[in-house]
Amino acid sequence: MSTVLSARDIRKSYGKGTARFDALDGVSLEVQAGESLAIVGKSGSGKSTLMHLLALLDTPDGGALFVKGTDADKLSVKQVTRLRNEDFGFVFQQFFLTPNASVLDNVVLPLKIAGVAARERKARGMAALAQLEMADKAKNKASNLSGGQKQRVVIARALVNNPKVIFADEPTGNLDTATGRLVEDILFSLNTEHGITLVIVTHDTELAARCDRQMFIRDGREARSLETSGASA
Ligand code: ADP
């Protein structure tokens, strides 16, 4: 197995002076290609902060991050943007869809950013939607969808660039249990059938248990087990 991402003693604080809060207080981990990893902990423990740093959406105040062996600090802004756009896909609880744009336009946004021509964007966007059985909704406004449908569109958007890693932050947080399980099934099939590495942030212990490996976070540090992490099902 090869390591796709590794973090060494990373730290992140928010605020300054007496208002300073250490959201991440020295965490190390390695993500292997093809695995599914759950980052588990209760609300406010630092999970999303860790995921944002791993996904190069933010920079750590201390420690080092390596992407396929390269120190992220040594990458140019352009290289980071490209990596994020081409190698990573994102699935967030809040969907982050443009409500008045069509489903297809939402899905092809990463391709537009990457400068892919309109015709190819459409073909790839439709293929991603078809994979999630949402092709018939391509022309719908994103706002006119159910929660489960919205999350499928988000997954199609995450997939459209053929990413190596999908980062999912509470991907089922806004869905009812049955719909949430379907969305989970889709994510895990991408992992097992297409070898896409999954990094899932969750406080849902059932979802975490479906992953190959769990990392528990408490108060910005790694905790040894679920009990010491304080997370609950
Ligand atoms: P989790 O994902 O486990 O709920 P987060 O990583 O979102 O935790 O947050 C960890 C801590 O950092 C929380 O106490 C949160 O309030 C704080 N925090 C997160 N983002 C910011 C921010 N942008 N500014 C200030 N505090 C933040």
Side-chain angles (χ1 to χ4, degrees):
M1 270 220 185
S2 62
T3 305
V4 278
L5 294 166
S6 80
R8 230 177 267 163
D9 199 28
I10 50 170
R11 294 161 195 278
K12 182 77 186 175
S13 305
Y14 296 110
K16 286 202 169 76
T18 50
R20 195 180 98 151
F21 181 80
D22 297 328
L24 217 55
D25 200 10
V27 169
S28 300
L29 88 151
E30 294 202 334
V31 182
Q32 307 298 333
E35 75 169 335
S36 56
L37 168 70
I39 299 173
V40 199
K42 63 181 177 181
S43 182
S45 56
K47 307 182 295 295
S48 303
T49 301
L50 174 58
M51 194 199 86
H52 282 104
L53 295 177
L54 288 173
L56 310 177
L57 290 167
D58 204 352
T59 48
D61 300 324
L65 262 171
F66 299 85
V67 185
K68 289 182 285 188
T70 304
D71 188 339
D73 219 25
K74 305 267 189 299
L75 298 172
S76 67
V77 173
K78 204 172 165 186
Q79 285 173 311
V80 168
T81 307
R82 198 165 159 182
L83 244 177
R84 220 168 32 212
N85 195 45
E86 293 181 3
D87 284 14
F88 299 164
F90 295 95
V91 176
F92 293 105
Q93 176 179 2
Q94 307 87 336
F95 310 128
F96 294 127
L97 292 169
T98 307
N100 285 322
S102 73
V103 162
L104 181 62
D105 283 345
N106 271 282
V107 169
V108 301
L109 187 65
L111 299 177
K112 216 170 171 179
I113 293 170
V116 173
R119 193 180 207 162
E120 189 184 336
R121 285 205 300 266
K122 188 175 177 192
R124 286 170 63 182
M126 287 308 296
L129 281 169
Q131 204 176 332
L132 292 154
E133 290 166 22
M134 288 289 289
D136 59 327
K137 298 283 189 294
K139 288 185 177 155
N140 279 41
K141 265 191 188 182
S143 54
N144 292 340
L145 298 174
S146 69
Q149 288 173 330
K150 281 182 186 158
Q151 201 58 308
R152 281 203 251 171
V153 173
V154 171
I155 296 173
R157 181 181 59 192
L159 273 181
V160 80
N161 259 342
N162 296 318
K164 298 186 177 63
V165 185
I166 288 184
F167 292 94
D169 194 345
E170 301 285 6
T172 57
N174 273 334
L175 306 175
D176 62 76
T177 310
T179 310
R181 290 292 172 245
L182 286 175
V183 166
E184 284 176 18
D185 291 345
I186 294 168
L187 287 173
F188 286 108
S189 75
L190 295 174
N191 173 251
T192 52
E193 287 164 31
H194 300 276
I196 295 177
T197 308
L198 286 182
V199 178
I200 302 181
V201 158
T202 187
H203 64 272
D204 176 346
T205 50
E206 282 180 47
L207 168 55
R210 291 186 69 177
C211 292
D212 298 330
R213 192 158 68 90
Q214 296 78 29
M215 178 186 197
F216 303 99
I217 300 284
R218 183 189 178 109
D219 297 334
R221 291 168 188 245
E222 183 170 8
R224 229 171 271 136
S225 68
L226 179 64
E227 286 69 36
T228 54
S229 80
S232 57

